[in-house]
Amino acid sequence: MSAEAADPGAPLRRRSRPRIDLRRLGRVALRGPVSRDRLPDAISHVAEAHRAHHPDADLTILRRAYVLAESSHRGQMRKSGEPYITHPLAVTLILAELGAETTTLTASLLHDTVEDTEVTLDQVKEQFGDEVCYLVDGVTKLEKVDYGAAAEPETFRKMLVATGNDVRVMSIKLADRLHNMRTLGVMRPEKQARIAKVTRDVLIPLAERLGVQALKTELEDLVFAILHPEEYEETRALIAAATGPDDPLETIADNVTHTLRDAGISAEVLIRPRHFVSVHRVRRKRGELRGTDFGRLLVLVGEDADCYAVLGELHTCFTPVISEFKDFIAAPKFNLYQSLHTAVVGPEGAVAEVLIRTHRMHKVAEAGVVALGNPYAQDPAAAPQTEPSDERADPTRPGWLSRLLDWQESATDPDTFWTTLRDDLAQDREITVFRTDGGTLGLPAGASCVDAAYAQYGDLAHTAIGARVNGRLATLSTVLSDGDTVQPLLAQDTASGPSPDWLDHARTPAARIAITGWFSDHPDQAKPDPETADTTGPGAQGEPSPEREAPVGTAPARGRSGPRSKGVVVEGPDAPVRLAGCCTPVPPDELTGFVVRGGAVTVHRRECPAVAAMQEIGRAPVGARWEDGEGRESDAGCRVTLVAESFGRPRLLADLTEAIATADAAIVSATVEPPSEQRVRHTYTLRLPDAAGLPGLMRAMRDVAGVYDVSRAQHPAPTG
């Protein structure tokens, strides 16, 4: 099955096996099984595809599975009018073309028998063994999906539980969904749209995580055709118009073939047409499409070293586009994908993208975990286990499915699970960070030391006080990069708990669910309501992330008097006003505001990084100013957050606090980061009786011996 062209009308450069004729197979299926000496005609396509990947496979069990499936489903019809047996046959053919092993194909033929017929799991176990029974039971537990909003969370929770124990269960489910999507035209348009949206939001990202690109790309095209029919037709027309004898990719492919042959490198050079969604994405990115944008060159070689030899020849004999080079062989993607990506300039300036991989890499790129065969089978050469275990090791990037299984058990509320699942699947890039004990952690891009702490220590991370990143002390909010070495630091006091602002830095479901759960168990220390919380101190929430803000276009508000908004006036009708904790504005700072969730207005200093971040995502600023002309807050005073940078020395903290007290300022909260290279950072949230005293306070703090800078806090703007 081609991963690049989901539509039978799409232009193909490489002939593939024709699709199964469901109506013809339906007629064959109705005639029932044939003699025991040969396979039934209805599964001859499956047998042919299976033998192409597994020449020595014993097909006897497939024949017996078909006989049971055909007899149990006999008389049942699909909504499209075909006999029901055509559905498990089509699903099994999809998996056979991907290279699934015999056990998976057997379970695929039987995947609906226990749910929809009188066949029991005991019968399956008796006739086909424990492994097939295990897979059929896993698929059966997913139940038929009710696409109502209330049913989705619990249904996909069960799906993940089953997948976490055996990825072949999900392989069967994905193939099942692909065939259902192919035949979705018999349903009402509104039901088509509901199914397509769930497929887009959950199943396609799961297919990506499991590396099954062949299923993912076709599902993407089918969803695209249902949810965006006009854009789909435009893309189809563009692809059809680009099909012709003068394909610039053909010329470049010939040149590459001759170059590699002259260099003595044995390689197969193919043209891989882009699927519809890929063409659509390129068009949105570049505007007008070039002739080479409708496909890519695929170079297949025998060994890993040959991949780099091909890369060297291409970069020597052609002009490379260096910015397009990516090495997914040295650093594979989290879904097993390995390949070299580059781009070269061909004749007349045509730029062609090139993928370089071995035949084995190509098989895994197409089929992902399906290409692993039975990933849970014991290696005969491996040492036997000393103790039996029911745990099945995750054959994909270590820990991915295990992590999902862990946090879904922690999320007792189905809606919380559903929201967290979708957020996690939306993370399309993963980083790897190293532990000091030599292990690794797989985290989503943008993850912080908070996420690393919970990924490594679980609930013990509640006591985290900081981290070392690449040997240097760092705060828990520090965002990690691919390849960093991280060591979370835990306090000795096991009774301590997380800080409320950790939720602003947590990106992983495990961290967010654990932190939320701790505050649920400790309501007296629960996170303040974001609409009423004091956002002026360090460690306070400050400006919510962009995705938590009110929608663009929400009406601006006029501030009303309150403990943290007195003296601030914003444009528009009455609404609560907050001073942002990220920049702690005080008179006579110039102000600007943004409407946040609930209609409140958060006011920032104009130079605050959060202001630029809000404007970049299209948020309209709200005018804000201090209430009186002199910028005084004589009744309530003013809060401000100051950061003092200093060299470490004895009595430094005492001298700083004395200088603050002498300036008649009250310390609301203070943090002192661990020394780094003899430098210490102090962060103080202070209350002054009058904003006019701020310059004098900062001068007094700078005069303390060892202090080389004092500045207003400028926390980075949060990112979504």
Side-chain angles (χ1 to χ4, degrees):
M1 181 174 59
S2 171
E4 300 290 333
D7 185 88
L12 296 174
R13 272 68 163 190
R14 188 181 185 187
R15 188 177 301 276
S16 59
R17 186 179 289 106
R19 275 200 189 151
I20 191 169
D21 184 340
L22 295 179
R23 293 189 179 278
R24 183 182 64 79
L25 284 184
R27 292 191 296 270
V28 173
L30 287 175
R31 291 198 293 268
V34 296
S35 68
R36 296 179 178 272
D37 298 332
R38 63 188 182 91
L39 289 169
D41 291 339
I43 58 170
S44 60
H45 290 277
V46 174
E48 178 187 352
H50 187 40
R51 280 281 171 84
H53 293 277
H54 304 277
D56 300 327
D58 181 3
L59 302 181
T60 304
I61 190 173
L62 288 180
R63 187 190 72 82
R64 291 195 290 111
Y66 169 76
V67 170
L68 178 59
E70 188 279 329
S71 61
S72 60
H73 286 297
R74 189 175 299 170
Q76 297 178 352
M77 307 295 287
R78 304 192 77 223
K79 290 184 178 180
S80 57
E82 291 90 9
Y84 194 87
I85 187 61
T86 59
H87 171 65
L89 278 171
V91 172
T92 306
L93 179 62
I94 291 170
L95 293 169
E97 289 181 327
L98 288 173
E101 38 78 51
T102 309
T103 302
T104 302
L105 300 186
T106 304
S108 176
L109 281 169
L110 301 171
H111 79 271
D112 277 337
T113 54
V114 174
E115 183 178 357
D116 294 338
T117 75
E118 299 298 321
V119 175
T120 66
L121 275 176
D122 288 340
Q123 289 177 294
V124 173
K125 183 176 182 179
E126 180 181 352
Q127 295 189 40
F128 301 98
D130 292 340
E131 198 74 11
V132 172
C133 178
Y134 184 94
L135 298 179
V136 173
D137 184 37
V139 179
T140 303
K141 285 179 179 177
L142 302 183
E143 303 178 351
K144 284 192 172 181
V145 176
D146 176 2
Y147 292 97
E152 290 171 1
E154 193 57 35
T155 298
F156 285 102
R157 178 197 289 271
K158 293 176 181 178
M159 180 181 294
L160 275 181
V161 171
T163 302
N165 289 328
D166 197 318
V167 294
R168 291 175 295 175
V169 172
M170 180 55 73
S171 300
I172 297 171
K173 185 62 182 178
L174 288 172
D176 174 78
R177 174 55 60 92
L178 176 57
H179 181 243
N180 285 334
M181 289 292 295
R182 286 176 178 174
T183 57
L184 209 57
V186 298
M187 295 186 177
R188 300 187 308 275
E190 57 271 20
K191 189 166 186 179
Q192 291 185 37
R194 286 198 302 271
I195 297 174
K197 287 177 181 177
V198 175
T199 303
R200 176 196 63 193
D201 293 343
V202 177
L203 290 177
I204 287 176
L206 281 173
E208 169 75 12
R209 291 296 179 97
L210 297 176
V212 194
Q213 295 296 319
L215 300 186
K216 178 211 167 193
T217 52
E218 186 172 352
L219 284 171
E220 281 185 328
D221 284 349
L222 293 168
V223 168
F224 185 38
I226 292 172
L227 298 182
H228 306 282
E230 295 182 0
E231 293 174 323
Y232 178 85
E233 289 302 325
E234 290 177 5
T235 305
R236 176 197 286 275
L238 287 171
I239 294 175
T243 304
D246 299 326
D247 186 349
L249 279 176
E250 294 281 4
T251 303
I252 299 176
D254 289 341
N255 292 341
V256 169
T257 300
H258 292 309
T259 298
L260 298 180
R261 184 184 301 126
D262 293 343
I265 300 174
S266 177
E268 184 179 2
V269 181
L270 306 171
I271 294 178
R272 298 279 289 174
R274 291 183 183 273
H275 64 291
F276 285 82
V277 171
S278 180
V279 172
H280 177 67
R281 288 171 180 159
V282 173
R283 184 188 179 194
R284 292 184 60 184
K285 178 181 178 182
R286 297 178 182 166
E288 185 176 352
L289 293 173
R290 305 170 300 198
T292 54
D293 286 336
F294 293 92
R296 290 174 289 190
L297 298 186
L298 173 63
V299 181
L300 298 177
V301 294
E303 303 293 337
D304 290 11
D306 295 336
C307 294
Y308 293 97
V310 169
L311 181 70
E313 288 298 323
L314 294 183
H315 283 193
T316 300
C317 300
F318 297 87
T319 302
V321 182
I322 300 301
S323 61
E324 296 294 325
F325 173 68
K326 296 181 180 67
D327 187 347
F328 293 117
I329 295 179
K333 289 187 177 181
F334 58 84
N335 58 5
L336 308 178
Y337 180 86
Q338 288 184 289
S339 188
L340 295 178
H341 289 202
T342 189
V344 296
V345 180
E348 301 180 0
V351 177
E353 296 182 33
V354 186
L355 311 178
I356 308 167
R357 58 180 73 141
T358 65
H359 291 278
R360 170 64 179 170
M361 292 176 190
H362 180 58
K363 181 178 180 181
V364 174
E366 290 283 281
V369 296
V370 178
L372 298 176
N374 181 357
Y376 308 100
Q378 285 285 344
D379 184 353
Q385 293 183 342
T386 56
E387 295 182 5
S389 174
D390 293 333
E391 288 294 317
R392 294 175 171 229
D394 177 10
T396 61
R397 184 68 170 253
W400 179 74
L401 288 175
S402 298
R403 290 199 307 273
L404 287 184
L405 196 61
D406 289 341
W407 63 254
Q408 72 82 25
E409 290 177 352
S410 302
T412 55
D413 176 26
D415 290 329
T416 300
F417 160 75
W418 178 244
T419 302
T420 312
L421 168 64
R422 293 179 62 171
D423 289 345
D424 183 74
L425 292 177
Q427 301 283 351
D428 59 357
R429 192 168 69 85
E430 187 171 87
I431 63 171
T432 299
V433 297
F434 296 91
R435 294 162 37 170
T436 52
D437 61 3
T440 60
L441 299 174
L443 300 170
S448 67
C449 293
V450 171
D451 300 296
Y454 280 97
Q456 182 169 350
Y457 293 113
D459 287 346
L460 289 177
H462 292 328
T463 65
I465 55 175
R468 289 187 181 273
V469 178
N470 302 324
R472 303 185 65 173
L473 289 170
T475 62
L476 287 169
S477 62
T478 301
V479 176
L480 299 169
S481 300
D482 199 32
D484 281 348
T485 298
V486 61
Q487 179 187 6
L489 304 176
L490 306 183
Q492 296 297 319
D493 180 12
T494 57
S496 61
S499 171
D501 66 320
W502 289 9
L503 284 171
D504 296 329
H505 311 301
R507 293 290 179 269
T508 58
R512 297 189 65 83
I513 289 174
I515 296 168
T516 303
W518 190 90
F519 282 113
S520 297
D521 295 337
H522 302 79
D524 55 320
Q525 302 182 55
K527 186 176 178 65
D529 187 287
E531 299 303 331
T532 59
D534 183 351
T535 62
T536 57
Q541 255 185 299
E543 185 67 30
S545 299
E547 75 272 12
R548 299 177 192 161
E549 298 279 355
V552 177
T554 302
R558 176 181 176 86
R560 62 189 181 195
S561 180
R564 290 178 300 280
S565 63
K566 186 173 181 180
V568 178
V569 178
V570 296
E571 299 173 358
D574 287 342
V577 176
R578 304 196 300 253
L579 297 182
C582 55
C583 59
T584 56
V586 298
D589 295 335
E590 294 185 350
L591 306 176
T592 188
F594 293 93
V595 179
V596 297
R597 186 179 60 183
V601 177
T602 300
V603 176
H604 298 257
R605 295 163 59 191
R606 285 191 180 176
E607 61 268 29
C608 177
V611 173
M614 293 298 104
Q615 291 176 333
E616 285 179 3
I617 63 173
R619 294 296 170 84
V622 175
R625 61 178 175 81
W626 298 107
E627 189 169 19
D628 57 40
E630 298 180 3
R632 296 285 190 265
E633 287 192 2
S634 57
D635 292 339
C638 70
R639 283 194 183 208
V640 66
T641 300
L642 299 179
V643 178
E645 304 278 356
S646 64
F647 296 104
R649 67 170 178 83
R651 289 191 52 81
L652 174 63
L653 183 59
D655 291 345
L656 266 172
T657 54
E658 182 179 354
I660 293 170
T662 302
D664 202 20
I667 299 177
V668 177
S669 63
T671 59
V672 181
E673 297 180 16
S676 175
E677 298 181 355
Q678 298 301 314
R679 291 177 171 83
V680 183
R681 175 190 289 260
H682 307 249
T683 303
Y684 298 94
T685 294
L686 309 171
R687 181 176 293 281
L688 283 74
D690 194 302
L694 179 59
L697 169 63
M698 296 176 68
R699 284 194 299 269
M701 293 175 66
R702 289 192 188 100
D703 289 341
V704 173
V707 176
Y708 58 85
D709 188 30
V710 176
S711 60
R712 297 276 296 278
Q714 288 279 17
H715 304 308
T719 57

